């Protein structure tokens, strides 16, 4: 078995999930210059809702081909409502406040969402029902499963859709204008509040998709899965260049690959001193290194233009 | 002590001394009153309140004085705690004395603060917050995993049987009789912590009203102008970071010796956020407010334990586990305070105006002062 | 000795800028601007809006680093120095869009200016020994004295943000003076002041000069500039188009062209 290729495949799939979540961070940051700390929790909500709905529907005998889209739809609705509520309650009143204030409300909202989920769903893991029979294919000495392929396809389609939305529609144009300069966009007749709300809607819908896919990838959902995931996705967005949509894609994929390769080789690299359970460290190291040495990220424009 | 008072109180020193006398008697009697009224557990809670006052005052230097958002503060607390735990426990069979290790631990934490701060302090506010958060997580991941190949931290199990504080050969955990009064472990720790807390308060007040404190405030107000007036902003910010880390390390050492046990569980991001809440909720930059915030937030979760029986009484069953409710309430409180009372419960008269959102000028200036990101 | 000093003859200049160019991306904000300021002079810098006056100030004070050219203060190169280091060398400034420490008291604002000339560190602050106490006392006294000099003696305990506009400008001057500058660079100190306030400002600036501080100022109030300055330099579109005694500059065809041209457009 080709270990390197296997790690690369795993990394790409993991990375496509990070990218989906990273998009939510980057879109909000691009427009509001706000780190939407609660975004990871929205992903968690998406995962929990989709898994619960899926469990309920399959138990009721609904066929998988129908249950999966329904679960996704339910997750999208709940996530969008949550995302818009969060924006209205915790961010919008503070839009002109010093930066510290919305960052702290964002942390507060994360805690609230996490604990609501814990009270609602309990502390135990929800397992993703085995609705799809796993088939494993051999590719050049590595293996890939049908679920992994499905994840990759859905993630790619979603991201393609987002790119179309941003680059080809009126709403997308308004979003880009608002990201460039909120005041000018407002003067040019863009309803900035609606664009911001739309950004949260789109970002939350992406989070719902990501939640479902992540739950199927790991086979479980848990009330505190969102935080670390969110941090990693944020790191991915920073790596690619925060505020930059292609950057989030690139950053997500790169982080996935780095984590996967890193976890595979860290033992050899450090002479066995550090083991694969240090996997989580890579995201934070990347975060610190990028922010310290190249805060604009790989594809980002100079931060100064924004500041 | 008179020197710590606001100017108007200079005028009548007798009132000041009388107030101090009453306060002193109250503070000395407090653990006995608490034990009589609420039980021995609450004396322990009182001890933790003192510990958190120290930590919150340390973080307040960074966040409140200098205006830097640090979300990884618990890392320094962890460094102090593990430093003591490793060198004064059966982990390596080392039992170095507490009074040597405590300042050393604070020093090591300070060093970590400088190491983290030096490359990152030029980042703009929210980026700095994220980087410190990442640093906190890295420290925790190491604590969790440094049990192999060499067992340094004993991994997730943590380190047990840590040596207690010793005062002249007497272990503070043991009860002792002084002047005919029985002093239990928690009582003795209360007096130790109270003494150190007073020292920390004293240092914090003096720092605030000093050349360095003014420089911190200037940076918080307008970094560009501060730099133009000759303040080496990077070094002065680093100093704030290092001071905060030192207090964190100090708290950590005390925690390890008091608790007798440390594990990575005690040093999660939530702990950082909790300490930040104390600062924000109390009133950033205002020392009495921060003390209030720390005491309130230490007591609150304990008080929330009574929510269980209360539910039992009201609706006949325990619908929500009080432990679950407690973090939820924290989150709600954070959001509400930022929305409706961003200056905190007991703000300094000045800071109150500054953090109020209806202040576009301030925002503009803050954004302009981010020129550092260009470099 | 810098090369420009020889050219100007009268001893080493306090400030010597040679061919300073500053580009932002494709935009050239300053193009080979040279300027010298002699010890004891009051030099004015005028020009239409957007001519690059503030950009030049920023290049002098370390806020920007010139894309090309050099700046020397007392013969020492300022290249690569950060603003705090420039201030330590003796060049202090005020800002066009007033940048006070809004939520600190008037007195504290000036006391911050003393930072660069004092030493007390963390240990000194906590222990507050005799030396620190003496230093604090001198910081306070000098700051109060400076407030008196700019006419804000009675307002020491107010918050800076509560001062009227003209007073804020004067507070910025006091704060800058607290750093003991050799050269004080003022960015539109009379902006927003009425006639009486401007007259008082003129008096203040003259006393500052008498006390041995050299002045460089950007100002739109032409009358004030003509009355006050020994020499005036004119910037237009990032280039220096004139430099000389006020009455000579006033008659300079290029200057008239620049101003009228700007007015006509």
């Amino acid at each position: 078995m080709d270990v390197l290729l296997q790690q690369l495949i795993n990394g790409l799939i993991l990375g496509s999930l990070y990218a989906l979540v990273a998009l939510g961070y980057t879109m909000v940051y691009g427009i509001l210059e706000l780190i939407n700390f609660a975004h990871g929790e929205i992903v968690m909500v998406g995962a929990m809702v989709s898994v619960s709905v899926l469990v309920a529907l399959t138990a009721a005998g609904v066929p998988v081909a129908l249950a999966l889209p329904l679960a996704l739809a339910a997750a999208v609705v709940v996530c969008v409502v949550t995302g818009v509520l969060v924006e209205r309650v915790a961010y919008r009143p503070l839009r002109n406040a010093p930066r510290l204030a919305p960052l702290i409300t964002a942390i507060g909202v994360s805690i609230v969402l996490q604990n609501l989920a814990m009270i609602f769903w309990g502390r135990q893991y929800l397992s993703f029902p085995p609705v799809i029979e796993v088939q494993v294919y051999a590719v050049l000495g590595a293996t890939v499963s049908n679920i992994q392929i499905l994840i990759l396809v859905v993630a790619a389609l979603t991201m393609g859709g987002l790119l179309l939305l941003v680059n080809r529609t009126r709403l997308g144009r308004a979003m880009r204008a608002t990201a460039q300069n909120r005041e000018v966009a407002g003067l040019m007749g863009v309803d900035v509040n609606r664009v911001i709300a739309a950004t949260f809607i789109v970002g939350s819908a992406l989070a719902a998709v990501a939640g479902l896919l992540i739950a199927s990838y790991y086979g479980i959902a848990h009330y505190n899965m969102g935080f670390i995931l969110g941090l990693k996705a944020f790191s991915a967005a920073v790596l690619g260049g925060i505020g930059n949509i292609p950057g989030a894609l690139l950053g997500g994929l790169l982080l996935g690959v780095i984590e996967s390769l890193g976890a595979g080789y860290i033992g050899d690299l450090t002479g066995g001193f550090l083991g694969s359970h240090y996997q989580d460290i890579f995201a934070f190291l990347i975060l610190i290194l990028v922010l310290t040495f190249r805060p604009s990220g790989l594809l980002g424009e100079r931060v100064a233009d924004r500041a | 002590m008179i020197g710590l008072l606001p100017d108007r109180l200079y005028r009548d020193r007798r009132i000041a001394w009388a107030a101090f006398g009453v306060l002193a008697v109250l503070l000395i009697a407090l653990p006995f009153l608490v034990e009589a009224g609420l039980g021995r557990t609450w004396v322990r809670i009182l001890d933790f309140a003192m510990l958190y006052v120290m930590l919150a005052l340390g973080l307040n230097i960074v966040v409140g004085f200098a205006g830097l958002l640090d979300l990884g503060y618990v890392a320094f607390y962890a460094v102090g705690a593990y430093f003591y735990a490793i060198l004064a426990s059966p982990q390596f069979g080392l039992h170095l004395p507490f009074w040597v290790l405590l300042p050393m631990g604070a020093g090591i934490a300070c060093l970590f603060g400088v190491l983290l701060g030096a490359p990152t302090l030029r980042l703009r506010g929210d980026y700095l917050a994220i980087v410190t958060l990442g640093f906190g997580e890295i420290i925790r991941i190491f604590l969790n995993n440094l049990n192999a190949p060499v067992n340094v931290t004993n991994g997730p199990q943590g380190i047990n049987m840590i040596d207690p504080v010793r005062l002249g050969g007497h272990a503070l955990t043991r009860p002792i009789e002084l002047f005919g009064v029985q002093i239990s472990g928690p009582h003795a720790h209360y007096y130790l912590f109270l003494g150190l807390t007073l020292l920390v308060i004293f240092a914090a007040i003096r720092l605030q009203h000093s050349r360095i404190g003014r420089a911190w405030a200037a940076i918080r107000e307008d970094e560009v102008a501060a730099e133009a007036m000759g303040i080496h902003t990077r070094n002065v910010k680093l100093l704030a970071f290092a001071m905060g880390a030192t207090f964190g390390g100090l708290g950590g050492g005390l925690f390890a010796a008091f608790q007798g046990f440390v594990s990575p569980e005690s040093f999660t991001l939530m702990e950082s956020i909790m300490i930040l809440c104390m600062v924000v909720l109390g009133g950033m930059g205002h020392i009495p407010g921060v003390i209030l915030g720390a005491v309130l937030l230490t007591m609150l979760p304990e008080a929330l334990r009574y929510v269980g029986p209360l539910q039992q009484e009201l609706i006949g069953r325990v619908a929500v586990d009080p432990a679950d409710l407690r973090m939820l309430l924290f989150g709600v409180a954070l959001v509400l305070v930022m929305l409706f009372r961003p200056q905190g419960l007991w703000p300094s008269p000045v800071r109150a105006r500054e953090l109020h959102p209806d202040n576009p000028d301030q925002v503009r200036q803050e954004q302009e002062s981010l020129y550092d990101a260009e470099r | 000795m810098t090369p420009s000093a020889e050219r100007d003859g009268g001893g080493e200049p306090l400030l010597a800028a040679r061919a300073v160019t500053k580009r932002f991306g494709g935009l050239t904000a300053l193009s080979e601007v040279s300027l010298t300021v002699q010890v004891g002079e009051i030099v004015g810098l005028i020009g239409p809006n957007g001519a690059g006056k503030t950009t030049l100030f920023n290049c002098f004070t370390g806020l920007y680093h010139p894309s090309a050219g050099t700046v020397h203060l007392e013969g020492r190169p300022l290249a690569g120095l950060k603003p705090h280091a420039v201030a330590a060398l003796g060049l202090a400034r005020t800002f066009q869009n007033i940048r006070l420490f809004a939520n600190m008291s008037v007195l504290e604002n000036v006391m911050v200016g003393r930072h660069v000339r004092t030493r007390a560190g963390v240990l000194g602050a906590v222990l507050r020994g005799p030396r620190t106490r003496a230093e604090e006392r001198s910081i306070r006294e000098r700051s109060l004295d400076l407030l008196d000099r700019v006419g804000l003696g009675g307002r020491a305990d107010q918050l800076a943000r509560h001062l009227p506009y003209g007073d804020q400008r004067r507070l910025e001057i006091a704060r800058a003076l607290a750093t003991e500058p050799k050269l004080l660079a003022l960015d539109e100190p009379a902006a927003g002041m009425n006639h009486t306030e401007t007259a008082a400002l003129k008096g203040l600036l003259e006393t500052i000069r008498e006390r041995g501080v050299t002045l460089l100022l950007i100002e739109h109030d032409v009358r004030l500039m003509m009355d006050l300055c020994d020499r005036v330099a004119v910037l237009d579109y990032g280039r220096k188009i004139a430099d000389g005694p006020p009455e000579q500059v006033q008659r300079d065809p290029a200057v008239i062209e620049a101003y009228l041209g700007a007015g006509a457009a």
Side-chain angles (χ1 to χ4, degrees):
Chain A
M1 198 168 93
D2 190 329
V3 178
L4 179 64
L5 185 66
Q6 188 66 54
Q7 304 279 22
L8 271 176
I9 291 175
N10 293 348
L12 278 179
I13 289 159
L14 186 61
S16 67
L17 296 174
Y18 287 152
L20 268 183
V21 184
L23 283 170
Y25 280 101
T26 245
M27 286 171 60
V28 169
Y29 195 91
I31 287 185
L32 283 179
E33 286 183 24
L34 164 81
I35 299 170
N36 179 13
F37 237 105
H39 190 66
E41 306 306 333
I42 306 267
V43 177
M44 176 274 293
V45 169
M48 301 298 271
V49 169
S50 55
V51 171
S52 332
V53 171
L54 200 56
V55 167
L57 288 180
T58 45
V62 179
V64 173
L66 190 58
L68 263 178
L70 279 177
L72 181 61
V76 167
V77 169
V78 175
C79 284
V80 164
V81 170
T82 315
V84 169
L85 263 179
V86 167
E87 195 267 327
R88 275 307 264 276
V89 173
Y91 299 154
R92 192 177 295 185
L94 294 172
R95 206 170 286 161
N96 290 318
R99 280 164 181 280
L100 215 68
L103 195 64
I104 292 174
T105 53
I107 293 173
V109 165
S110 302
I111 298 175
V112 169
L113 287 178
Q114 215 181 93
N115 285 277
L116 279 180
M118 182 180 74
I119 290 170
F120 191 77
W121 279 288
R123 287 173 187 272
Q124 70 276 27
Y125 290 90
L126 303 186
S127 3
F128 195 85
V131 288
I132 302 171
E133 199 180 322
V134 182
Q135 284 176 355
V136 178
Y137 311 101
V139 184
L140 300 170
T143 59
V144 58
S145 76
N146 52 348
I147 293 186
Q148 288 180 317
I149 294 174
L150 192 66
I151 288 173
L152 210 54
V153 169
V154 174
L157 284 178
T158 313
M159 288 186 262
L162 178 76
L163 287 179
L164 280 182
L165 174 82
V166 171
N167 290 320
R168 292 286 156 81
T169 64
R170 259 179 77 87
L171 176 64
R173 201 159 59 226
M175 281 176 170
R176 281 178 291 139
T178 312
Q180 278 291 319
N181 189 327
R182 201 153 76 210
E183 275 167 37
V184 173
L187 290 176
M188 303 303 279
V190 174
D191 183 342
V192 173
N193 274 334
R194 275 188 54 192
V195 168
I196 291 171
T199 307
F200 274 85
I201 290 174
V202 175
S204 304
L206 290 176
V209 178
L212 175 75
L213 294 182
I214 288 166
S216 71
Y217 178 81
Y218 289 109
I220 49 168
H222 190 230
Y223 76 91
N224 68 11
M225 66 190 279
F227 200 82
I228 289 285
L229 184 74
L231 274 182
K232 287 186 178 178
F234 176 77
S235 311
V238 168
L239 174 61
I242 186 107
N244 181 309
I245 287 178
L249 299 182
L250 179 69
L253 292 178
L254 264 179
L255 179 61
V257 170
I258 292 171
E259 266 197 0
S260 181
L261 290 181
Y265 291 100
I266 188 173
D268 297 342
L269 284 176
T270 58
F273 183 67
L274 300 178
S276 62
H277 34 258
Y278 283 95
Q279 180 180 5
D280 284 352
I281 252 174
F282 294 107
F284 301 122
L285 276 183
I286 287 175
L287 183 69
I288 292 179
L289 292 178
V290 172
L291 282 180
T292 307
F293 294 108
R294 195 182 155 82
S296 56
L298 296 175
L299 299 187
E301 56 221 282
R302 286 188 308 126
V303 180
D305 294 341
R306 277 274 157 73
Chain B
M1 286 303 257
I2 283 286
L4 302 180
L5 285 174
D7 284 345
R8 56 185 143 65
L9 284 185
Y10 275 107
R11 282 179 217 136
D12 200 339
R13 293 196 168 211
R14 269 184 311 177
I15 292 181
W17 280 115
F20 264 119
V22 172
L23 190 66
V25 170
L26 205 70
L27 283 175
I28 290 170
L30 194 60
F32 293 99
L33 297 177
V34 164
E35 186 176 22
L38 296 161
R40 177 72 54 91
T41 22
W42 277 86
V43 180
R44 259 184 81 82
I45 295 167
L46 205 57
D47 295 350
F48 271 107
M50 291 293 142
L51 196 61
Y52 278 113
V53 168
M54 284 185 243
L55 292 173
L57 284 173
L59 183 60
N60 181 53
I61 293 178
V62 184
V63 180
F65 290 175
L68 308 162
L69 188 50
D70 180 354
L71 287 179
Y73 188 62
V74 77
F76 307 121
Y77 183 42
V79 166
Y82 268 88
F83 179 77
Y84 181 70
I86 288 167
L87 296 179
S89 72
Q91 176 73 4
F92 288 105
L94 293 170
H95 297 279
L96 303 182
F98 174 82
W99 295 105
V100 173
L101 290 182
L102 189 67
M104 275 175 75
I108 302 268
C110 173
L111 195 70
F112 268 81
V114 173
L115 284 180
L116 171 66
T120 56
L121 276 174
R122 63 197 182 88
L123 294 172
R124 47 202 277 185
D126 42 2
Y127 276 19
L128 178 68
I130 298 295
V131 166
T132 51
L133 189 156
F135 175 73
E137 286 298 300
I138 288 178
I139 293 279
R140 201 175 53 82
I141 292 171
F142 269 99
L143 294 181
N144 250 321
N145 293 304
L146 270 184
N147 50 350
V150 183
N151 186 357
V152 183
T153 63
N154 205 26
Q157 288 84 28
I159 297 175
N160 219 331
M161 293 166 66
I162 301 168
D163 298 349
V165 183
R166 278 177 191 283
L167 263 178
H170 165 72
L172 224 53
T173 39
R174 290 235 191 87
I176 190 174
E177 205 174 287
L178 273 182
F179 316 115
V181 184
Q182 179 85 14
I183 305 213
S184 71
H187 283 70
H189 280 95
Y190 168 81
Y191 293 118
L192 172 69
F193 288 4
L194 178 66
L196 289 170
T197 303
L198 289 177
L199 278 181
V200 168
I201 294 174
F202 177 79
I205 293 177
R206 285 228 157 152
L207 278 172
Q208 187 173 22
H209 300 288
S210 72
R211 170 177 175 267
I212 301 293
R214 282 190 300 271
W216 286 334
I219 289 171
R220 186 188 71 208
E221 292 282 322
D222 187 331
E223 195 172 334
V224 173
E227 172 86 24
M229 289 306 113
I231 293 173
H232 195 316
T233 50
R234 205 198 58 189
N235 282 3
V236 173
K237 286 198 282 184
L238 200 54
L239 201 56
F241 223 65
M243 288 309 296
T246 307
F247 285 173
L250 184 75
L254 292 173
F255 171 75
F258 176 49
Q259 186 88 341
F261 166 70
V262 293
S263 81
E265 278 290 289
S266 304
F267 307 103
T268 58
L269 178 69
M270 267 310 142
E271 194 73 10
S272 282
I273 289 177
M274 193 85 89
I275 302 169
L276 181 68
C277 286
M278 293 170 178
V279 175
V280 174
L281 204 79
M284 263 186 260
H286 190 224
I287 291 168
V290 172
I291 296 171
L292 174 76
V295 173
L296 270 186
L297 284 197
T298 322
M299 303 281 177
L300 185 69
E302 305 302 330
L304 283 176
R305 285 185 204 285
Y306 300 109
V307 170
L310 192 70
Q311 287 181 44
Q312 190 82 47
E313 209 142 290
L314 287 179
I315 55 174
R317 67 194 173 92
V318 181
V320 180
D321 185 351
D324 296 356
L325 210 54
R326 148 191 162 188
M327 281 317 290
L328 183 67
L329 290 178
F330 265 131
V332 172
L334 259 195
V335 175
L336 290 182
V337 167
M338 269 297 125
L339 289 182
F340 298 109
R341 214 177 152 76
Q343 67 275 34
L345 297 175
W346 189 1
S348 71
V350 169
R351 187 78 170 168
R353 275 174 289 262
E354 181 191 344
L355 258 182
H356 219 273
D358 320 320
N359 187 356
D361 249 25
Q362 176 78 25
V363 178
R364 181 185 49 75
Q365 209 163 58
E366 188 180 343
Q367 276 159 3
E368 278 171 8
S369 70
L370 296 170
Y371 80 104
D372 253 7
E374 288 173 45
R375 309 274 159 83
Chain C
M1 278 299 242
T2 58
S4 56
E6 294 159 33
R7 196 187 56 192
D8 288 319
E12 186 179 53
L14 183 56
L15 181 83
R18 281 181 58 84
V20 169
T21 299
K22 178 68 189 173
R23 281 183 287 267
F24 296 102
L27 180 85
T28 303
L30 288 175
S31 178
E32 304 200 348
V33 175
S34 295
L35 183 73
T36 57
V37 178
Q38 301 296 334
V39 176
E41 262 190 316
I42 299 185
V43 175
L45 194 57
I46 62 173
N49 281 323
K53 304 182 295 289
T54 298
T55 307
L56 188 61
F57 261 36
N58 288 346
C59 285
F60 290 167
T61 52
L63 214 51
Y64 294 159
H65 295 295
S67 314
T70 59
V71 182
H72 288 79
L73 186 73
E74 292 191 307
R76 265 188 276 200
L78 301 185
L81 290 187
K82 291 198 133 211
H84 69 87
V86 176
L89 285 180
L91 202 178
R93 70 172 292 176
T94 65
F95 294 89
Q96 186 183 344
N97 52 342
I98 305 178
R99 304 192 78 136
L100 289 168
F101 307 122
N103 294 295
M104 296 171 80
S105 77
V106 167
L107 177 62
E108 282 173 326
N109 265 272
V110 185
M111 289 170 84
V112 168
R114 295 298 303 151
H115 181 93
V116 68
R117 302 291 168 222
T118 44
R119 302 187 51 89
V122 166
L123 218 56
V126 175
L127 300 178
R128 203 170 283 186
R131 189 188 295 176
T132 312
R133 256 178 297 173
E135 187 180 280
E136 270 296 294
R137 202 160 40 231
S138 89
I139 290 173
R140 180 174 287 267
E141 279 164 10
R142 289 196 66 150
S143 303
L144 283 169
D145 184 48
L146 279 168
L147 282 179
D148 278 337
R149 269 166 63 189
V150 302
L152 291 173
R155 295 185 176 264
D157 292 328
Q158 287 185 15
L159 287 189
R161 68 182 318 143
H162 292 160
L163 289 185
Y165 197 74
D167 286 354
Q168 292 199 2
R169 291 236 174 258
R170 285 187 291 163
L171 177 53
E172 265 210 330
I173 293 175
R175 184 179 69 178
L177 283 176
T179 68
E180 290 175 35
K182 298 179 176 106
L183 176 64
L184 178 58
L186 304 164
D187 198 342
E188 299 196 19
M193 285 188 175
N194 61 32
H195 188 72
T196 336
E197 284 175 317
T198 308
L201 176 73
K202 177 167 174 280
L204 173 64
L205 295 184
E206 277 165 347
T207 27
I208 290 173
R209 190 242 301 256
E210 277 159 27
R211 292 209 176 202
V213 178
T214 306
L215 292 169
L216 171 65
L217 62 158
I218 295 175
E219 193 41 73
H220 283 300
D221 188 326
V222 176
R223 175 99 160 278
L224 176 69
M225 294 297 257
M226 296 303 153
D227 287 354
L228 191 64
C229 296
D230 304 313
R231 200 150 56 77
V232 171
V234 188
L235 285 188
D236 188 32
Y237 290 111
R239 290 174 186 281
K240 190 169 87 172
I241 57 170
D243 188 347
E247 51 284 359
Q248 182 191 321
V249 166
Q250 220 169 358
R251 288 191 301 269
D252 191 313
V255 176
I256 295 166
E257 161 80 30
Y259 269 89
L260 288 184

